[in-house]
Amino acid sequence: MNKIIEVMARPLRILDDIGMGYVTLGQASNTLSGGEAQRVPGELTLVHVRPESDIRAAVVEDRGDLLRLPRGSLSRGVNEYYVDRMAKLARAGESVRILRGEAARELVREVRKGYDLLAMGRRGRGAAASFLLGSTVLDALQRSPVPLVVVPSP
């Protein structure tokens, strides 16, 4: 238990060291002023894991139009869709990675390359299931070598 507390305390100590100890857990990043956000050390990388199959990716994203592309164009169309989608989310200075495969496995593999924290969104499934975490989050939680933060979907 002490190891868990120690690992979770590290990001909080960093905030305290740079004079931002008043920031609370769960505080939305968009409540920070531009100057505060710039003082937080490190880099932010947005990572999305898409399905391995191009057909499955088009179906999961409800992009039937991609399935009607000429033969041989599906892969390019799906890749362009994900690149455009992630570019809209990224802010200046943030990098974007698009991975293929099983989400939890690929995220943990990516995190092992030197990340300090993994933040994952949870999809809203209604009031009855709101206290449950999805299987991807639970799998990543069990495998991740770094702290994992789960945030609600917007």
Side-chain angles (χ1 to χ4, degrees):
M1 184 63 141
N2 287 339
K3 179 68 174 167
I4 294 171
I5 292 170
E6 181 182 318
V7 168
M8 293 302 293
R10 182 174 177 260
L12 299 175
R13 279 195 301 271
I14 291 171
L15 289 174
D16 196 43
D17 290 346
I18 61 172
M20 292 178 59
Y22 56 87
V23 174
T24 62
L25 290 175
Q27 182 173 344
S29 62
N30 62 3
T31 65
L32 298 175
S33 72
E36 290 171 326
Q38 289 174 357
R39 289 191 343 231
V40 176
E43 301 173 17
L44 179 65
T45 302
L46 300 178
V47 179
H48 178 77
V49 183
R50 56 156 285 192
E52 188 72 38
S53 160
D54 293 327
I55 293 172
R56 181 167 169 76
V59 171
V60 165
E61 298 296 337
D62 198 24
R63 292 296 308 267
D65 59 307
L66 295 174
L67 297 173
R68 293 186 289 278
L69 290 173
R71 185 180 182 124
S73 300
L74 178 60
S75 182
R76 184 175 37 83
V78 168
N79 287 335
E80 288 174 0
Y81 166 76
Y82 281 112
V83 168
D84 291 345
R85 179 177 167 196
M86 295 301 288
K88 290 176 185 172
L89 296 173
R91 296 180 190 163
E94 297 174 349
S95 59
V96 171
R97 303 253 310 130
I98 300 170
L99 309 175
R100 290 175 81 142
E102 188 269 315
R105 183 184 65 231
E106 295 305 320
L107 286 171
V108 170
R109 184 178 293 162
E110 182 71 14
V111 161
R112 290 183 192 278
K113 294 179 181 178
Y115 292 73
D116 295 316
L117 178 73
L118 174 61
M120 295 179 69
R122 105 177 149 70
R123 294 187 180 169
R125 302 262 191 235
S130 64
F131 64 94
L132 300 174
L133 296 175
S135 60
T136 301
V137 171
L138 288 175
D139 197 11
L141 184 61
Q142 292 172 346
R143 296 167 149 184
S144 179
V146 299
L148 182 135
V149 176
V150 180
V151 296
S153 297

